Amino acid sequence: MPQGQQQIPSVWTRPRPRREQLTRERIVIEAASLLDADGIEALSMRTLGTRLGAGATSLYRHVANKDELIELVVDEVYGELEIPDAPDREAWRPAVVDAATALRAMVLRHPWVASVLSQVGLSHLGPNVMRMSDRMLALFETAGFPAEETDSAMSTVVSYVIGVATSEAAYLSMIARSGGTESDWLRALRPAVEAATRAYPHLHATHVAQHHKAPRVVRDETFEYGLQRILDGFAARLEQLGRTEEAGQ
């Protein structure tokens, strides 16, 4: 780095400390466990140090602050994702569906992720995030999108998934705090919802139509519907690109 140039504050932009008993990997795994159990509000360097049997000072040799720790833990959970290959052009759409479904499931397994994704610094430099992005870009390249559109296509899908999953995670976390199940919560709420929507016939009909469905099924169907309509738009774009290519020959 040139003399006088300030380093960008991110865990991904500075060297790792020498190896010792308390490793970065151990810190990250314990932090993920803490976040999954108690949520983002419970995470502090002091609390994490206590769980690890180490002082906060020892943690600071591996991460400069809590923000860097969150960068690392976010990348850790992205490592759970398995992004499929698309061996040919016809396989791109089911592969994107599988990738999007896996991303949504990851966020719902780790609901705290939803609250930090907008503030995790240079998270895109994390190796697991980069691996996910690279493999998803390959799907859109296989589909036939030109190089200048693959990133926009991927970002559209990821933004949709994160948006839906963030709302779901917040909703499910609220239910979890109540101590009941999603079905119990909705069953208790149903009389109030029916009374409140009675003056709004379209809303009321939609609510009544979902009574017989399990709440998880409703959420899955809603997610799948939105994702498929996005992919319909991509398919139409690919057809347009194909016609343009044929006309130019």
Side-chain angles (χ1 to χ4, degrees):
M1 179 177 295
Q3 187 174 6
Q5 184 176 338
Q6 190 172 21
Q7 188 179 53
I8 298 174
S10 171
V11 71
W12 305 117
T13 62
R14 59 185 182 79
R16 297 175 62 151
R18 62 179 177 81
R19 294 195 62 81
E20 55 185 78
Q21 184 175 1
L22 182 62
T23 64
R24 177 184 286 181
E25 289 75 14
R26 186 179 168 211
I27 293 169
V28 170
I29 290 171
E30 190 63 37
S33 176
L34 171 61
L35 286 164
D36 287 343
D38 300 323
I40 193 68
E41 298 82 5
L43 180 64
S44 71
M45 301 298 272
R46 177 174 295 181
T47 300
L48 183 59
T50 300
R51 287 173 65 110
L52 288 164
T57 303
S58 299
L59 272 62
Y60 286 123
R61 285 200 290 270
H62 297 270
V63 288
N65 49 47
K66 181 179 173 180
D67 290 339
E68 284 197 359
L69 176 61
I70 291 174
E71 280 189 295
L72 288 165
V73 183
V74 166
D75 193 71
E76 176 74 11
V77 297
Y78 267 90
E80 298 173 5
L81 297 179
E82 292 294 334
I83 306 299
D85 293 320
D88 52 52
R89 184 167 289 192
E90 287 68 34
W92 75 270
R93 185 161 177 159
V96 172
V97 169
D98 287 347
T101 302
L103 179 56
R104 173 190 175 224
M106 182 274 284
V107 175
L108 295 183
R109 282 195 302 273
H110 308 287
W112 55 267
V113 170
S115 66
V116 300
L117 284 179
S118 64
Q119 49 184 321
V120 284
L122 302 181
S123 62
H124 60 280
L125 294 181
N128 289 322
V129 174
M130 288 194 291
R131 179 179 62 86
M132 179 206 74
S133 299
D134 187 70
R135 292 180 68 86
M136 287 194 72
L137 287 170
L139 297 181
F140 291 105
E141 181 179 320
T142 300
F145 284 96
E148 62 269 19
E149 292 189 27
T150 55
D151 184 63
S152 295
M154 179 190 71
S155 295
T156 298
V157 171
V158 171
S159 295
Y160 169 74
V161 176
I162 294 299
V164 171
T166 295
S167 297
E168 279 188 278
Y171 160 75
L172 293 173
S173 294
M174 175 188 67
I175 292 173
R177 288 193 297 270
S178 74
T181 67
E182 185 178 8
S183 294
D184 291 340
W185 191 81
L186 290 175
R187 193 177 302 112
L189 191 61
R190 184 172 296 163
V193 173
E194 289 185 355
T197 60
R198 198 162 287 123
Y200 307 96
H202 304 292
L203 188 60
H204 186 75
T206 299
H207 172 73
V208 171
Q210 294 178 342
H211 279 182
H212 69 285
K213 293 183 179 180
R216 173 62 184 268
V217 171
V218 173
R219 290 189 287 107
D220 288 348
E221 289 179 348
T222 299
F223 173 79
E224 180 72 11
Y225 179 86
L227 178 61
Q228 292 296 341
R229 299 299 72 79
I230 289 172
L231 299 185
D232 286 345
F234 286 164
R237 174 58 177 159
L238 290 170
E239 289 181 9
Q240 181 188 47
L241 290 168
R243 290 194 298 269
T244 301
E245 184 178 336
E246 290 176 3
Q249 291 178 348

